[in-house]
Amino acid sequence: QVQLVESGGGLVQAGGSLRLSCVASGRTFSSYAMGWFRQAPGKEREFVARISASGGRTYYADSVKGRFTISRDNAKNAVYLQMNSLKPEDTAVYYCAARDSLRPNYDYWGQGTQVTVSS
């Protein structure tokens, strides 16, 4: 019932930047906390960043802190991940996810977008 569509992935050299976007369907987007996750080849899915429903609170994995910025625009039903100073180890499929503020788990997931960082 809630669809999330990521975009903005691609191939970039180390040190470069990418901006990922995730657009959500639904009329209650503003009630959902949003997160970004990634899964690298041969590894389990890991948390990258999250943002509260209002956009007032953010949290980042240590591996990306200081380089990535999560933001949202509730008027556009969108969440973004600005990725700077990219490293080869950032290579992964990136997923956005939505969590109702009243629920403990992320219930909705996008299809993912590939980010590849070359050396």
Side-chain angles (χ1 to χ4, degrees), residues 11-47:
L11 176 64
V12 64
Q13 291 187 20
S17 298
L18 284 173
R19 187 179 191 240
L20 305 184
S21 298
C22 175
V23 178
S25 66
R27 295 177 291 273
T28 59
F29 177 78
S30 62
S31 69
Y32 285 86
M34 300 294 295
W36 285 97
F37 297 78
R38 67 187 182 187
Q39 187 167 16
K43 295 186 177 181
E44 295 185 346
R45 182 183 62 193
E46 67 173 344
F47 166 80

Side-chain angles (χ1 to χ4, degrees), residues 4 14-15 17 20 31 39 45 55 60 64 68 74 96 104 112:
L4 305 173
S17 298
L20 305 184
S31 69
Q39 187 167 16
R45 182 183 62 193
Y60 300 90
V64 307
F68 291 9
N74 287 349
C96 66

Side-chain angles (χ1 to χ4, degrees), residues 8-97:
L11 176 64
V12 64
Q13 291 187 20
S17 298
L18 284 173
R19 187 179 191 240
L20 305 184
S21 298
C22 175
V23 178
S25 66
R27 295 177 291 273
T28 59
F29 177 78
S30 62
S31 69
Y32 285 86
M34 300 294 295
W36 285 97
F37 297 78
R38 67 187 182 187
Q39 187 167 16
K43 295 186 177 181
E44 295 185 346
R45 182 183 62 193
E46 67 173 344
F47 166 80
V48 176
R50 67 172 182 258
I51 187 167
S52 62
S54 68
R57 290 173 287 127
T58 59
Y59 189 78
Y60 300 90
D62 288 342
S63 59
V64 307
K65 192 172 185 179
R67 300 187 297 121
F68 291 9
T69 302
I70 188 171
S71 62
R72 69 189 296 160
D73 186 342
N74 287 349
K76 297 180 179 179
N77 279 18
V79 62
Y80 309 97
L81 186 68
Q82 178 66 46
M83 305 184 295
N84 298 327
S85 301
L86 283 162
K87 305 174 181 179
E89 50 262 47
D90 294 319
T91 295
V93 177
Y94 283 71
Y95 300 89
C96 66

